[in-house]
Amino acid sequence: MNTFTALLLSAALASPLAVYAADAHNHGGSAETHQLQLNAGKKWETDAPLRKAMTAVRGSVTQILPTAHSGKATPADYDAFANTVNQQVAYMVENCKLPPAADAQLHIVVADLMAGAEAAQGKHGEDKRAEGVVKVAQASNTYGKYFSHSGWKAIPLSH
């Protein structure tokens, strides 16, 4: 990721809405107008750091999702999950080097990962923690639809 992107995402770890606001400001539109797109009908290429981070996020989701669905996840479970997601996002920001067009698409996925982590931490209420896990799972699945990652499997979302 370029330096500006890295700084933007680093600052946004505290507030996923900052990504939307900064992105909308820099590109002259609202975040709602940005939708993921394939690269001329093909998935976007990835690099090793991105694949490593997303594999870790996916592993964390698959570990907690059944417990979250059953209502048995504890606040400590959710906090640990959110910390893992945030650490992996920080790793991506620091190490991922995608071309600008792919990077712009990845911003959308990263914003969803961060928003899910924030909800899992209870920042939107204790009753929204499980929804945060689901949001991260959905973002992981979206990543797999739009980014080339050999062996990537969608996470089943139903309980």
Side-chain angles (χ1 to χ4, degrees):
M1 293 187 171
N2 65 40
T3 303
F4 174 75
T5 300
L7 291 172
L8 175 65
L9 288 175
S10 294
L13 284 174
S15 174
L17 297 177
V19 169
Y20 289 118
D23 195 41
H25 174 74
N26 290 328
H27 300 289
S30 71
E32 285 89 46
T33 63
H34 296 292
Q35 293 182 350
L36 279 167
Q37 299 174 351
L38 291 172
N39 183 11
K42 296 180 182 178
K43 291 183 179 185
W44 296 96
E45 291 300 317
T46 58
D47 63 6
L50 176 57
R51 290 188 299 273
K52 179 180 178 182
M54 287 305 299
T55 297
V57 167
R58 187 187 186 289
S60 188
V61 171
T62 58
Q63 184 177 13
I64 194 173
L65 193 60
T67 310
H69 277 323
S70 70
K72 295 180 181 176
T74 66
D77 294 334
Y78 288 120
D79 289 344
F81 167 76
N83 287 337
T84 297
V85 173
N86 286 331
Q87 287 169 356
Q88 294 308 316
V89 167
Y91 177 82
M92 278 184 240
V93 168
E94 198 163 315
N95 298 288
C96 181
K97 307 285 186 232
L98 296 180
D103 188 56
Q105 294 296 300
L106 184 60
H107 285 199
I108 299 167
V109 174
V110 168
D112 287 345
L113 291 173
M114 292 171 29
E118 184 176 86
Q121 287 175 308
K123 293 182 179 180
H124 301 286
E126 290 298 313
D127 60 331
K128 302 291 185 189
R129 286 183 181 251
E131 290 176 27
V133 173
V134 171
K135 184 159 186 75
V136 171
Q138 290 168 332
S140 297
N141 289 346
T142 298
Y143 163 79
K145 287 181 187 175
Y146 290 90
F147 290 87
S148 180
H149 187 134
S150 181
W152 190 264
K153 293 179 182 160
I155 300 166
L157 297 177
S158 61
H159 6 44

